[in-house]
Amino acid sequence: MDLFLNLVASGLVIGSVYGLIGMSFAIIFRTTGVLNFAQGEVMMLVAYTAWTLTHTLLFPFWLLVPSTIVLAALIGMAIERLFIRPMTGQPIFAIVMVTIGIAITLRSLTTLVWGHEFEGFSVPFSGGVVEIGPVFLLTEQLAVLILFMAVSAMTWAFFRFSRVGMAMRATSQDETAALLMGVDSRRMSSFAWAISAIVSGLAGVMVSVLFARAPDMWHFGLKSFPAAILGGLDSPIGAGFGGLIIGVIGELSAGYIWNGLKEISGLILIIVILMVRPYGLFGEKELERV
Amino acid sequence: MLTLTNMQIVYDRVIEAVRDVSLEVPEGRLVALLGSNGAGKSTLLKAISNVLFPEKGEVLHGQIMFRDRDIGKTSANEIVRAGIIHVPEGRRLFPLMTVEENLLMGGYTASTAALHDALDKVYTMFPRLKERRKGEAGYLSGGEQQMVAVGRALIGQPRLLLLDEPSLGLAPQIIEEIFEAITRLRNEEGISILLVEQNAALALEIADYAYIMENGRIVLDGTASEIAKNADVKEFYLGFGDHGAKKSFRDIKHYKRRKRWLS
């Protein structure tokens, strides 16, 4: 039982990371219909920038968080402005190909600027151990869980209640109608990229705290993609839960069956679930009025 | 209030949808724009609110003046802010959002305080929407959807309302209700309205002035009562013969049904 609970806990931790990145996939997809394959790279870029802020520029932690959020938003908006907006009106497939190009460019760019070395990312709260019943968690693991819950709650509230969040949903459902309401759809796309860069950037910082700031961090983007598919690409909260499910299943199968299953068990689960619910667990199916 | 001069609109750079159209909507008036399918009525409305670009439409010539300002190059969201609100053909609600969220979207440009008053006003106008406000808009009936579409436009506090076929696909009783609401908007709120309709008889009943469009041109215009009396309009749009009696379809030669207008 203790093993089970510990596996679930560490699954939830890694799942939170997947979930955050999955959420950022969903935020862009739901607003603009574009699948951003550079999500993992955006995450890496933000994490590297945050690392430079802490370790080179020696920002204190209370300053690090807001400045990372601002930088992430700027990075997201810049990518949207430079590469995505000029593609407006082109087929979605072409835009998705552009994001793959962005991914490769960002990957090379980060190694070019920061080099190949792994580096630790230290934050004031890391290093402690928290004991919750039979479950042992490192403080930074607990921080990931808390971050996940906070970001999920904020994302949910943003899309549900805020005027801009509602406008983003409206744009995804009917762009022309949204234009007729006075919504500037280009600005919505810019917001979506900014928010998604913030969410994945925070996940990136947590990955570097948990493991290391490393040039292969972008793998997390690919691993989180199944989370977004599982939860439903048009539902950020669903994508978040999808991440948790994939994380837990991965840890459990690695712990009880075979270590190699960690990477693939989530994918097997996806195949099964998508056969039953093609729009994902929490995705919205197309409404058809009878 | 709104003046269009010599509008020429093309789709895909070559397909001409509207040619040399000039029309005017005076302050506080209801102007009807009538015509059959494909005459270019909806295109004209989309040109006014500058949302032709997603369909690759483009205004080649002409000027759109709104309250003495040229709005030809103004972006869609600025036009909404200026007070022109367009209710598109087929309602175009946000199907996965609730009725209330749809209505609130209509007030995207309004202040929060104004929004709540406006919301109450729409609920008094269409009490049925209040009952259904938590329901998803996609599941509403056609008539209710049209009420949401009109309500959504009103919440934005328009000076000029562009209505694209509000009667489309609705039961006669519901049409009556919607048209009553439209008339009230003009009479009580003083909103200027440009109404695009295929149902000519109905539109002429409530309009002050009317234009008739065919093949991208305006072929006839005049006060609503003049237009309603026009012999050709009677025959081709209202279905009456020369003597005012309802014409039997048996007497109509089919080749004659398509009228060529000389203008």
Side-chain angles (χ1 to χ4, degrees):
Chain A
M1 196 58 197
D2 285 7
L3 174 67
F4 175 79
L5 287 177
N6 274 292
L7 285 175
V8 168
S10 59
L12 286 177
V13 170
I14 197 72
S16 300
V17 173
Y18 294 153
L20 287 171
I21 306 173
M23 234 184 266
S24 51
F25 271 111
I27 290 168
I28 290 185
F29 183 82
R30 136 174 257 188
T31 317
T32 63
V34 172
L35 252 178
N36 175 22
F37 277 106
Q39 204 67 60
E41 284 74 7
V42 172
M43 171 202 104
M44 176 160 81
L45 186 60
V46 176
Y48 269 66
T49 325
W51 182 85
T52 303
L53 288 183
T54 356
H55 289 85
T56 314
L57 302 174
L58 302 172
F59 273 38
F61 184 71
W62 61 267
L63 194 59
L64 174 72
V65 177
S67 43
T68 306
I69 289 175
V70 171
L71 275 172
L74 290 179
I75 289 172
M77 279 168 156
I79 294 175
E80 193 270 345
R81 188 72 197 80
L82 289 175
F83 303 108
I84 306 300
R85 198 172 296 176
M87 296 292 289
T88 318
Q90 306 296 331
I92 290 288
F93 186 69
I95 306 180
V96 174
M97 292 307 286
V98 168
T99 68
I100 296 179
I102 299 171
I104 295 165
T105 316
L106 287 183
R107 238 178 267 166
S108 323
L109 216 61
T110 27
T111 22
L112 208 65
V113 176
W114 281 276
H116 290 281
E117 289 76 31
F118 285 46
E119 298 278 357
F121 194 131
S122 54
V123 279
F125 55 76
S126 62
V129 177
V130 185
E131 208 182 321
I132 309 164
V135 177
F136 289 90
L137 280 178
L138 295 171
T139 35
E140 58 261 38
Q141 289 182 312
L142 192 66
V144 176
L145 285 175
I146 293 169
L147 178 75
F148 173 80
M149 286 187 278
V151 171
S152 309
M154 280 193 280
T155 313
W156 178 79
F158 173 75
F159 279 108
R160 186 80 180 71
F161 300 116
S162 85
R163 204 177 276 212
V164 175
M166 234 196 270
M168 284 169 76
R169 274 195 291 155
T171 310
S172 74
Q173 288 171 32
D174 190 332
E175 192 178 341
T176 304
L179 279 172
L180 292 176
M181 302 295 109
V183 175
D184 186 346
S185 60
R186 285 178 313 178
R187 200 192 292 168
M188 291 305 123
S189 150
S190 178
F191 277 152
W193 278 79
I195 295 169
S196 124
I198 294 172
V199 173
S200 60
L202 291 174
V205 172
M206 292 323 291
V207 169
S208 2
V209 172
L210 284 178
F211 307 102
R213 184 224 77 179
D216 62 351
M217 272 171 69
W218 54 269
H219 279 299
F220 271 92
L222 285 185
K223 286 188 205 155
S224 313
F225 185 60
I229 300 277
L230 179 66
L233 259 177
D234 53 359
S235 155
I237 298 307
F241 279 106
L244 292 185
I245 293 169
I246 292 211
V248 171
I249 298 282
E251 287 296 319
L252 286 180
S253 56
Y256 283 113
I257 309 173
W258 171 52
N259 199 26
L261 270 178
K262 196 173 186 165
E263 306 288 329
I264 54 171
S265 57
L267 294 165
I268 296 171
L269 180 76
I270 283 181
I271 295 174
V272 176
I273 286 188
L274 287 189
M275 280 199 268
V276 189
R277 284 179 70 93
Y279 31 84
L281 280 182
F282 301 88
E284 285 158 334
K285 55 185 163 187
E286 297 276 303
L287 253 195
E288 255 178 77
R289 198 162 60 87
V290 210
Chain B
M1 179 163 226
L2 177 84
T3 320
L4 307 184
T5 1
N6 297 332
M7 299 286 294
Q8 188 192 13
I9 303 168
V10 294
Y11 281 109
D12 250 346
R13 302 245 168 103
V14 286
I15 303 158
E16 192 178 48
V18 170
R19 164 179 250 183
D20 279 342
V21 165
S22 304
L23 64 77
E24 205 196 337
V25 184
E27 179 104 46
R29 290 303 153 105
L30 201 166
V31 175
L33 183 58
L34 311 173
S36 54
N37 275 333
K41 310 176 302 274
S42 299
T43 303
L44 206 57
L45 291 197
K46 285 178 198 160
I48 297 171
S49 38
N50 200 358
V51 289
L52 278 170
F53 64 89
E55 303 163 35
K56 299 200 170 157
E58 197 184 346
V59 177
L60 278 193
H61 292 294
Q63 196 187 32
I64 309 173
M65 297 289 284
F66 178 65
R67 291 158 58 89
D68 305 319
R69 213 177 93 198
D70 188 345
I71 56 163
K73 296 269 176 286
T74 315
S75 66
N77 57 314
E78 286 299 323
I79 288 175
V80 173
R81 267 167 237 269
I84 301 187
I85 295 191
H86 181 164
V87 180
E89 190 175 357
R91 278 88 67 171
R92 303 289 284 268
L93 301 185
F94 305 112
L96 301 171
M97 292 165 76
T98 64
V99 168
E100 185 146 305
E101 284 173 334
N102 264 280
L103 293 173
L104 288 175
M105 271 312 293
Y108 182 68
T109 56
S111 71
T112 318
L115 205 57
H116 284 280
D117 291 347
L119 199 60
D120 286 340
K121 217 158 95 186
V122 170
Y123 283 147
T124 1
M125 194 164 186
F126 302 114
R128 209 168 335 162
L129 297 186
K130 190 162 190 176
E131 293 161 28
R132 298 218 154 210
R133 66 185 209 267
K134 295 278 174 228
E136 271 180 8
Y139 285 127
L140 295 183
S141 75
E144 288 163 341
Q145 288 198 3
Q146 189 65 56
M147 290 174 196
V148 177
V150 172
R152 187 173 68 170
L154 291 183
I155 283 186
Q157 286 164 345
R159 293 177 210 273
L160 171 67
L161 199 57
L162 310 176
L163 290 171
D164 200 345
E165 302 225 11
S167 72
L168 189 77
L170 300 184
Q173 197 191 349
I174 309 277
I175 295 180
E176 211 166 279
E177 205 173 319
I178 298 273
F179 270 62
E180 242 178 65
I182 296 171
T183 326
R184 245 185 302 152
L185 290 181
R186 176 197 51 189
N187 297 346
E188 290 166 22
E189 315 267 326
I191 300 174
S192 322
I193 298 170
L194 179 56
L195 170 70
V196 161
E197 258 299 342
Q198 291 205 35
N199 189 337
L202 203 60
L204 287 174
E205 243 170 63
I206 63 168
D208 299 304
Y209 201 85
Y211 292 85
I212 293 190
M213 244 182 128
E214 264 191 22
N215 291 330
R217 298 163 188 252
I218 290 202
V219 290
L220 194 69
D221 68 293
T223 60
S225 50
E226 276 168 30
I227 294 279
K229 280 190 211 117
N230 183 295
D232 287 331
V233 173
K234 268 189 186 166
E235 180 164 357
F236 292 100
Y237 286 93
L238 306 176
F240 290 106
D242 295 340
H243 309 293
K246 206 157 205 146
K247 213 170 178 177
S248 160
F249 276 98
R250 203 174 47 194
D251 304 334
I252 301 170
K253 289 182 180 145
H254 284 286
Y255 67 85
K256 250 186 96 185
R257 292 283 293 167
R258 195 129 190 103
K259 165 79 177 162
R260 285 169 190 238
W261 301 86
L262 297 172
S263 64

